[in-house]
C-alpha cells in the first residue's frame, strides 16, 4: 500500500512545484494536494491498524497531515503561510528521526528486528527532511518558491518513483 501512496504523492509534489514556478492556480493545486493528503492519512491508518506497522504509518501521518495543511492554505488563499511552515518544520524533524532510524535499524531486546535497516530509505528521508525545511524557509520568506519547486521536481524520481517502482517491480532498492 505504501508504494502506491508514494506514486500518489508525486502528483501533489509535481503540481505544487509547477504552481511555485508560476504555472497553474492555487485552488486546483489545493484540490489535488487535499486529495493526496487524505489518501496518505487514510493509508497511514491502514498501514498502522491493518498491517500492524506503526513505524511506516507514523511517517505517512506526518506527511499526510502536512499535505492537508498545504491544501487548506491553497484553497483558503492564505497569505501568511507561516502556519504551514511550522507544520513543515515539525515534519522535517520527524523525517530526520526516521532517517536516523532507517540508517541504524532497530532491534527489540530479544533480538527481533523492529526496524529494518535501509540505506536507501535513510537517503530518501534525508531528502524529505531537506524538502520540508525548504518549505519552512519559504513560508518565512527565506527561500524562493522556485528553489522549492526545483527541489520537488528533482526529488520526485529519487524519493518517490525509484523506491516505489523498484520495490513493486524488482522487490529491491538500488542500495
Amino acid at each position: 500500500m505504501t508504494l502506491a501512496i508514494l506514486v500518489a504523492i508525486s502528483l501533489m509534489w509535481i503540481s505544487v512545484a509547477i504552481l511555485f514556478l508560476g504555472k497553474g492556480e492555487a485552488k486546483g493545486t489545493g484540490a489535488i494536494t487535499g486529495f493526496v493528503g487524505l489518501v496518505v492519512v487514510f493509508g497511514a491508518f491502514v498501514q498502522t491498524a491493518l498491517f500492524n506497522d506503526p513505524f511506516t504509518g507514523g511517517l505517512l501521518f506526518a506527511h499526510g497531515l502536512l499535505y492537508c495543511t498545504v491544501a487548506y492554505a491553497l484553497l483558503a488563499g492564505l497569505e501568511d503561510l507561516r502556519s504551514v511552515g511550522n507544520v513543515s518544520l515539525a515534519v522535517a524533524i520527524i523525517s530526520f528521526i526516521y532517517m536516523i532510524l532507517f540508517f541504524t535499524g532497530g532491534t527489540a531486546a530479544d533480538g527481533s528486528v523492529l526496524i529494518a535497516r535501509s540505506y536507501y530509505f535513510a537517503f530518501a528521508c534525508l531528502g524529505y527532511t531537506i524538502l520540508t525545511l525548504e518549505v519552512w524557509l519559504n513560508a518565512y520568506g527565506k527561500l524562493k518558491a522556485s528553489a522549492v519547486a526545483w527541489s520537488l521536481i528533482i526529488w520526485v524520481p529519487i524519493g518517490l518513483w525509484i523506491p516505489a517502482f523498484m520495490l513493486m517491480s524488482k522487490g529491491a532498492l538500488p542500495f
Side-chain angles (χ1 to χ4, degrees):
M1 170 136 199
T2 302
L3 301 177
I5 290 171
L6 294 178
V7 175
I9 291 169
S10 72
L11 300 174
M12 176 256 180
W13 284 14
I14 290 171
S15 298
V16 169
I18 292 169
L19 177 69
F20 277 14
L21 291 173
K23 306 294 181 191
E25 49 81 35
K27 290 190 190 277
T29 305
I32 187 59
T33 302
F35 297 146
V36 169
L38 291 174
V39 164
V40 174
V41 169
F42 176 74
F45 276 109
V46 170
Q47 194 70 33
T48 301
L50 189 63
F51 295 113
N52 196 28
D53 180 10
F55 181 70
T56 304
L59 187 60
L60 291 173
F61 273 123
H63 283 269
L65 292 171
L66 171 61
Y67 303 157
C68 290
T69 304
V70 171
Y72 174 78
L74 292 172
L75 292 168
L78 296 184
E79 300 209 11
D80 183 350
L81 297 176
R82 289 179 294 176
S83 60
V84 173
N86 295 339
V87 174
S88 193
L89 177 61
V91 173
I93 294 166
I94 291 165
S95 294
F96 183 77
I97 293 167
Y98 271 82
M99 178 197 70
I100 292 168
L101 292 172
F102 274 124
F103 185 75
T104 61
T107 56
D110 66 0
S112 62
V113 175
L114 294 174
I115 301 166
R117 182 180 297 168
S118 171
Y119 295 125
Y120 195 88
F121 280 133
F123 172 66
C125 285
L126 173 63
Y128 305 155
T129 300
I130 292 167
L131 285 172
T132 50
L133 284 173
E134 287 180 351
V135 171
W136 172 61
L137 290 170
N138 174 261
Y140 276 84
K142 305 295 182 191
L143 185 66
K144 291 182 180 183
S146 61
V148 179
W150 285 111
S151 292
L152 286 167
I153 290 168
I154 290 166
W155 205 253
V156 163
I158 297 168
L160 300 173
W161 289 342
I162 288 174
F165 292 123
M166 285 196 73
L167 285 172
M168 284 191 277
S169 65
K170 305 275 186 203
L173 292 167
F175 56 89

